[in-house]
């Protein structure tokens, strides 16, 4: 093999994401070896490499030939399904790898699996990176957001490649060394949790505009196009405007109206909510979006509930909600409510990253996390630059809503936000994401909460004690005895 020109890097796992990332690497001038257990996928990738510009891709048909075709120290990206398939691929490849070689897992892996694999790799003298990849198929081909965590040496070995392959924004490529251990996977997981919240909030904006405002799909397409020229400019708002324009091939009207209202999921949103609970970080917008996906899956139960409750006398308010509504004002109110709700969702995600970083000693740079999400990834949005600047102004910022710039915006938008939520509630339209964001904002901004009563209850039934506002120490009161005495 030494007499043959060796590849700069290798990639194993040639489903569409793997193929696209391999072609992206090759297109940036880095010769790459590719391997897949199903050999037809190797042939398919080679055909695409030839068709898309005679790109420098070398196909290999066995783990041994694949590993030996790569320059030392070898770096191998694997893009296979998370869990056992990753372990199986590592076992097959590491048999032919040598100390100093590196494995990079680009899948959506649970961060603790990555931490286990780092230890196992070290025992063989191998380096390991767990790298979050965001941007879907298009991002993989044209420039994703990359979140590598694990061995710094492994990152430095491929830093030049990742810097060229990642999406490019005005302040650099959308990749950075995240930190040690499973930090790259954890950051990608939280990215996906924010994505869940973002998608839910957009769907609620759509629901209110359609069912309270009575807007058509054509009007919605124009509104989202307009919003994408301003503060809401983002990948998700842009694609939403496109979705409303697509006609149905099988009948009249637009395709969006024919899609079954059941949302799928792969698990990263659930992991995010579980981690928030374990770290005692409030993430109600992300949790609400997860609950909505669960409820969407109960299609038959929901249809039955609609029928039973209608028979019990519940009147359908949604259809009559649009009477007398000022459409222009509603559209502007919904825009403001969506923006304010999104800030709360991002704030929750950032606080979760900070809490985990403190627990694990990862030293995550939250401003840099916002920067690498500005391009390539699903949650890319123009206001991420402002989130980056907020953390640059104050790296110890307790919450995005108390950054002076964002605080002003939240205050300016709260009246519109409350109008939208109130209108939706009175029309019987559920807006759990917007409501959760508003409740989060209202709870966080209050200097005094009714938690004093909850703590009194805990002390009464469980002698959990309480603190006082006027003097130090822990106190316990015989509440029931004293209450009866006063009677």
């Amino acid at each position: 093999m030494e007499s043959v020109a060796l590849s700069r890097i290798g990639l194993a796992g040639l489903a569409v994401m793997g193929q696209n990332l391999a072609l992206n690497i090759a297109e940036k001038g880095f010769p790459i070896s590719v391997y897949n257990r199903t050999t037809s996928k190797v042939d398919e990738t080679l055909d695409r490499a030839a068709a898309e510009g005679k790109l420098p891709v070398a196909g290999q048909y066995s783990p041994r030939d694949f590993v030996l075709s790569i320059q030392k120290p070898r770096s191998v990206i694997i893009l296979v399904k998370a869990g056992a398939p990753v372990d199986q691929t590592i076992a097959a490849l590491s048999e032919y790898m040598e100390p100093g070689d590196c494995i990079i897992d680009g899948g959506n892996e649970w961060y603790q699996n990555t931490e286990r694999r780092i230890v196992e790799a070290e025992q063989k003298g191998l380096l390991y990176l767990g790298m979050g990849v965001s941007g879907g198929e298009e991002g993989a081909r044209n420039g994703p957001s990359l979140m590598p965590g694990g061995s710094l040496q492994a990152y430095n070995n491929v830093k030049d490649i990742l810097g060229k392959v990642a999406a490019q924004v005005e302040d650099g490529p959308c990749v950075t060394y995240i930190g040690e251990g499973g930090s790259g996977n954890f950051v990608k997981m939280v990215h996906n949790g924010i994505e869940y919240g973002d998608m839910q909030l957009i769907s609620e904006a759509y629901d209110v505009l359609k069912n309270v405002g009575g807007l058509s799909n054509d009007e919605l397409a124009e509104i989202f196009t307009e919003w994408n020229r301003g503060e809401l400019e983002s990948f998700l708002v842009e694609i939403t405007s496109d979705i409303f324009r697509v006609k149905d091939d099988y009948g009249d009207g637009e395709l969006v109206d024919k899609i079954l209202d059941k949302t799928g999921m792969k698990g990263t949103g659930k992991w995010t909510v579980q981690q928030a609970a374990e770290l005692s970080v409030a993430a109600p917008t992300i949790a609400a979006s997860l609950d909505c996906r669960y409820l969407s899956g109960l299609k038959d139960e929901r249809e039955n509930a609609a029928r039973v409750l209608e028979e019990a006398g519940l009147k359908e308010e949604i259809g009559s909600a649009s009477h007398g509504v000022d459409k222009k004002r509603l559209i502007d109110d919904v825009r403001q409510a969506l923006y304010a709700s999104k800030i709360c969702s991002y704030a929750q995600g950032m606080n979760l990253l900070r809490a985990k970083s403190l627990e694990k000693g990862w030293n995550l740079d939250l401003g840099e996390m916002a920067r690498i999400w500005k391009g390539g990834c699903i949650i890319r949005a123009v206001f991420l630059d402002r989130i980056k600047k907020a953390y640059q102004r104050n790296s110890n910022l307790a919450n995005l809503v108390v950054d002076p710039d964002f605080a002003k915006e939240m205050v300016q938008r709260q009246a519109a936000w409350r109008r939208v939520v109130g209108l939706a509630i009175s029309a019987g339209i559920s807006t759990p994401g917007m409501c959760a964001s508003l409740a989060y904002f209202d709870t966080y901004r209050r200097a005094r909460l009714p938690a004093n009563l909850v703590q009194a209850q805990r002390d009464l039934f469980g002698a959990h004690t309480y603190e006082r506002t006027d003097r130090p120490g822990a106190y316990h009161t015989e509440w029931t005895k004293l209450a009866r005495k006063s009677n």
Side-chain angles (χ1 to χ4, degrees):
M1 299 294 292
E2 293 297 330
S3 61
V4 180
L6 297 178
S7 295
R8 175 74 170 75
I9 192 168
L11 189 145
L14 298 172
V16 179
M17 279 288 287
Q19 285 186 25
N20 282 1
L21 189 59
L23 295 170
N24 182 354
I25 291 167
E27 193 170 62
K28 300 302 187 294
F30 300 102
I32 183 169
S33 291
V34 297
Y35 166 72
N36 198 84
R37 274 197 325 176
T38 309
T39 56
S40 61
K41 290 286 184 192
V42 178
D43 296 333
E44 202 178 289
T45 309
L46 294 177
D47 289 344
R48 284 188 62 191
E52 294 179 28
K54 297 189 171 62
L55 302 175
V57 178
Q60 303 296 337
Y61 296 90
S62 74
R64 179 181 180 277
D65 291 349
F66 171 64
V67 171
L68 296 180
S69 71
I70 303 163
Q71 285 174 24
K72 297 179 187 177
R74 303 178 182 97
S75 295
V76 175
I77 299 171
I78 54 176
L79 270 169
V80 298
K81 197 176 173 191
V86 176
D87 290 309
Q88 289 156 9
T89 306
I90 291 169
L93 300 179
S94 62
E95 201 177 322
Y96 306 102
M97 296 177 84
E98 298 170 30
D101 290 351
C102 168
I103 295 166
I104 304 166
D105 175 18
N108 271 338
E109 188 56 91
W110 174 236
Y111 83 99
Q112 288 178 336
N113 284 343
T114 295
E115 301 201 322
R116 165 178 62 78
R117 289 176 189 136
I118 287 170
V119 173
E120 291 168 356
E122 279 172 355
Q123 290 164 356
K124 297 176 182 173
L126 302 176
L127 308 177
Y128 198 91
L129 279 179
M131 182 171 72
V133 179
S134 179
E137 295 169 13
E138 189 184 326
R141 182 66 184 84
N142 301 309
S145 173
L146 300 172
M147 296 155 251
S151 162
L152 180 58
Q153 180 60 54
Y155 173 72
N156 285 333
N157 289 351
V158 292
K159 186 178 176 182
D160 59 332
I161 300 176
L162 300 183
K164 289 268 175 44
V165 164
Q168 307 293 317
V169 291
E170 74 283 350
D171 47 7
C174 292
V175 60
T176 192
Y177 175 67
I178 300 291
E180 295 176 351
S183 59
N185 294 117
F186 194 90
V187 168
K188 174 59 165 50
M189 177 199 79
V190 172
H191 162 287
N192 286 20
I194 294 170
E195 180 185 308
Y196 271 52
D198 233 347
M199 294 169 77
Q200 176 63 30
L201 292 167
I202 289 170
S203 77
E204 291 173 17
Y206 153 64
D207 199 7
V208 171
L209 291 172
K210 180 183 177 181
N211 290 306
V212 178
L215 299 170
S216 68
N217 289 328
D218 285 342
E219 289 173 309
L220 288 165
E222 288 306 315
I223 289 162
F224 276 83
T225 299
E226 184 61 35
W227 284 356
N228 198 49
R229 296 191 188 110
E231 62 189 11
L232 287 171
E233 182 190 328
S234 62
F235 173 71
L236 286 169
V237 168
E238 180 189 340
I239 66 167
T240 301
S241 68
D242 290 341
I243 286 167
F244 291 126
R245 289 192 165 91
V246 175
K247 301 293 180 191
D248 180 23
D249 285 345
Y250 296 98
D252 297 333
E254 286 76 32
L255 178 57
V256 67
D257 295 328
K258 308 288 169 57
I259 294 175
L260 186 68
D261 51 324
K262 280 171 76 167
T263 308
M265 61 189 132
K266 294 269 183 77
T268 44
K270 180 176 162 184
W271 292 347
T272 306
V273 173
Q274 287 171 333
Q275 281 294 297
E278 284 191 21
L279 291 161
S280 303
V281 172
T285 312
I286 299 170
S289 69
L290 184 67
D291 287 341
C292 282
R293 293 198 183 195
Y294 293 146
L295 284 164
S296 79
L298 305 176
K299 176 68 172 171
D300 293 343
E301 287 184 39
R302 288 188 287 114
E303 287 181 340
N304 185 54
R307 189 171 58 252
V308 170
L309 291 166
E310 193 180 336
E311 286 167 3
L314 182 70
K315 288 190 170 60
E316 180 63 82
E317 299 289 344
I318 292 175
S320 59
S322 58
H323 298 310
V325 170
D326 179 339
K327 282 191 187 182
K328 196 172 177 188
R329 182 178 174 180
L330 178 67
I331 292 163
D332 193 59
D333 279 356
V334 171
R335 175 185 61 78
Q336 295 187 63
L338 178 56
Y339 184 84
S341 298
K342 279 162 71 87
I343 295 301
C344 288
S345 184
Y346 280 72
Q348 292 159 31
M350 289 301 191
N351 286 358
L352 180 52
L353 288 179
R354 186 180 57 213
K356 195 67 175 182
S357 180
L358 287 170
E359 181 195 81
K360 302 286 287 185
W362 286 338
N363 296 315
L364 296 183
D365 180 339
L366 298 183
E368 184 69 351
M369 299 306 102
R371 187 194 70 76
I372 66 167
W373 289 344
K374 281 167 56 179
C377 72
I378 304 301
I379 64 169
R380 62 182 182 266
V382 73
F383 68 53
L384 277 160
D385 192 56
R386 303 193 34 238
I387 292 176
K388 178 194 85 169
K389 286 172 179 162
Y391 285 108
Q392 283 177 339
R393 280 193 291 274
N394 178 6
S395 61
N396 297 315
L397 185 66
N399 194 299
L400 278 177
V401 303
V402 294
D403 169 75
D405 281 8
F406 282 122
K408 275 190 206 128
E409 298 202 319
M410 301 299 274
V411 171
Q412 287 163 359
R413 285 161 180 73
Q414 65 159 343
W417 196 3
R418 294 180 198 286
R419 282 195 295 271
V420 171
V421 167
L423 198 58
I425 289 169
S426 63
I429 293 171
S430 61
T431 50
M434 286 186 182
C435 286
S437 282
L438 183 57
Y440 177 80
F441 174 72
D442 280 339
T443 305
Y444 190 71
R445 71 181 175 80
R446 284 184 66 190
R448 185 159 173 84
L449 293 169
N452 54 317
L453 179 60
V454 177
Q455 195 58 21
Q457 292 169 333
R458 293 182 75 242
D459 187 50
L460 184 151
F461 65 66
H464 291 293
T465 75
Y466 56 89
E467 295 174 82
R468 294 179 58 104
T469 58
D470 55 355
R471 60 190 67 189
Y475 296 85
H476 169 59
T477 296
E478 297 286 342
W479 298 89
T480 307
K481 195 188 290 180
L482 290 172
R484 284 181 184 149
K485 200 180 280 183
S486 66
N487 274 346

